[in-house]
Amino acid sequence: MNHWQKEVVATVISAITYLLTSGRQPKTVPLNRPAAALLGAVLMVSSGVMTPERAYRAINYDTLVLLLGMIREHDRCGISSGTS
């Protein structure tokens, strides 16, 4: 796959991932936001756009720690998200 083809594939995967994660969950595709983001990452690696090493280096651990801390505090405080 040449550079131009990789760019097209990456753009399509990114657009699909963005659509799945940005709005409400479509009834035709039963994926929540984290699952859609993971699907996009798997597609990037499996299609050859990114190597597994490059994908691993792209993970921002500071953001993961921040999110895990926020989830922990949310659960500790018993704050309801308002959804059932």
Side-chain angles (χ1 to χ4, degrees), residues 16-56:
I16 291 170
T17 304
Y18 180 77
L19 289 173
L20 289 174
T21 58
S22 65
R24 296 176 61 175
Q25 181 179 355
K27 296 191 182 355
T28 57
V29 182
L31 287 176
N32 56 13
R33 288 182 176 129
L38 182 61
L39 176 65
V42 168
L43 287 174
M44 287 285 199
V45 173
S46 64
S47 66
V49 172
M50 292 181 78
T51 63
E53 294 82 19
R54 186 174 173 199
Y56 183 75

Side-chain angles (χ1 to χ4, degrees), residues 52-73:
E53 294 82 19
R54 186 174 173 199
Y56 183 75
R57 285 193 318 255
I59 297 171
N60 186 335
Y61 290 100
D62 292 337
T63 303
L64 287 178
V65 170
L66 173 68
L67 290 173
L68 289 174
M70 290 174 63
I71 290 169
R72 181 180 165 271
E73 286 301 310

Side-chain angles (χ1 to χ4, degrees), residues 71-83:
I71 290 169
R72 181 180 165 271
E73 286 301 310
H74 179 272
D75 290 342
R76 189 177 70 85
C77 293
I79 301 169
S80 174
S81 64
T83 60

Side-chain angles (χ1 to χ4, degrees), residues 1-2 5-14 39-52:
M1 185 180 312
N2 65 29
Q5 290 172 327
K6 283 185 179 183
E7 284 186 13
V8 170
V9 171
T11 302
V12 169
I13 292 172
S14 296
L39 176 65
V42 168
L43 287 174
M44 287 285 199
V45 173
S46 64
S47 66
V49 172
M50 292 181 78
T51 63

